[in-house]
Each structure stands twice: as structure tokens, then as C-alpha cells.
Amino acid sequence: MSIKVAPSILSADYVNLQRDVELVEKAGAEYVHIDVMDGMFVPSISYGAAWVKALKPVTNMVLDVHLMVVNPERYINEFADAGSDIIGVHYEATPHIHRALQMIKAKGVKAEVVINPGTAVELIKPVLHMVDQVLIMTVNPGFGGQKFLPESIDKIKQLAAIKAEMGLDFDIEIDGGVNGDTVKAAYDAGATVAVAGSYVYDKVDPAAKIAAMKELTK
Ligand code: DX5
Ligand code: ZN
């Protein structure tokens, strides 16, 4: 099965957001990735739960919410009530990652743990039984348009091996610098969902970019 594609609206045209979301849905994207930045965990401020609520009625894609927020427990219920299908919380953003994941699950939302490039895969072993998806950041979070870190490939392989060893079946998502040159190696390593912002939205023809990612991972 081809990799599932999750265009990040961080690189979309915000005044034509509905158009940009419909366009990728028609092109076969399964998820829409929503990057929430608080200006503390990462330098930028992006958008909040109101955007999730606004997008909910205009798309059938999975609303994949990536919280780049310090102490995300403060916002989990709000994002769940807004209509998130998956909520991702960073291992690095809270001393209580287990509790944060419990809170997401208690709302009936799919739970995701996210790790930064500097965080070892082993550290999330104790929570892997709780999650529906793991996001391995393939750049340092905070900005679109950065270069894919090649050392991520080993981390994806490690996680895929742990997943098989533990008999679990969560999705493995990658985020940052994903494009036609980087998606195949990540897919071969075990990634099942690919976030792509600037590759899909920055230049012409987002539909062709999605088709290319699907074709490269057949
Ligand atoms: C980065 C965000 C990404 C971002 C990816 O902190 O988490 O989702 O939109 O952008 P590209 O695909 O341009 O690297
Ligand atoms: Zn993201």
C-alpha cells in the first residue's frame, strides 16, 4: 500500500484555505495536517482549535493535529471538542506524556506521541501500547521548508523494529522535508504516513505532488 499523504496547511494559502484543502482531498490525500505552534515550544505562533473547528465541516480527510505546545494537556479537550481525529503531543513538551495520551484517548480521539530529532526512540517505549500513531520529526519543528535530516531513516527503522517486536500496529508518520527525493527511503524504512507542506503547496500543482508521493511508494 502506498504511503498515506498528509498535506500540511502551514504552507497553504490561508485566505483560500477551503480551496487548498479541497484540492488535496480530491487528489487523494488521506489526512490534513494541522500544525499548532505556541511561540514557546517553537518560536512561531500559528493557529488554534478554531481552525480545526472551521475545517471539520468542509472535509472528510482525517484531521491530524500536531501540537507544538508546552504542556499540551492544557489544550487537549479543546482540540478534541473542535473535531480533531488524531492529536499528537510531543514527548519533550510535558513531564506527563503518559497522562497527556490518556487524556486524548479519554476523549475518544486517536493518540499520537511525537519525538524531535534529538530524542531517542527508546524513550517512548513505555507509551507505545497506548498510541495509534507515532510521529518522528524529520526536521527540528517550528518551520516549513527545512531539509530532511538523513539520520531520521535509522530512527524510523528502529521504531519499525520495536513495533514488530512488540506486536503493535500504530502508524509511523514523518514530518519535515518530505518530498519526491526523501519519501521513498522513509517509506522503505517503515513510515506509513507522510506529512508534506512546502512540497505540496509551494509551487504549482499540489495534485501532481501527491500523485508522485503515491507513485514512489507503491
Ligand atoms: C514543522 C511542521 C511541519 C511543516 C512541514 O514544524 O511540523 O508539519 O509544515 O513543512 P515541510 O513539509 O515544508 O518541511
Ligand atoms: Zn507538523
Side-chain angles (χ1 to χ4, degrees), residues 8 10 33 35 37 66 68 137 141-145 175-177 195-198:
S8 169
L10 193 64
H33 186 78
D35 285 307
M37 304 181 178
H66 177 192
M68 284 165 274
M137 288 306 300
F143 307 96
D175 183 9
V195 175
S198 52

Side-chain angles (χ1 to χ4, degrees), residues 36 38 41 65-80 87-101 103-104 112-114:
V36 178
D38 67 350
F41 185 70
V65 176
H66 177 192
L67 294 182
M68 284 165 274
V69 169
V70 170
N71 295 127
E73 303 90 306
R74 296 175 297 148
Y75 293 103
I76 286 167
N77 291 344
E78 189 181 337
F79 276 91
I87 297 178
V89 285
H90 271 262
Y91 173 83
E92 306 85 2
T94 171
H96 298 293
I97 190 65
H98 189 286
R99 180 185 294 152
L101 293 166
M103 285 179 70
I104 299 169
E112 175 191 74
V113 62
V114 188

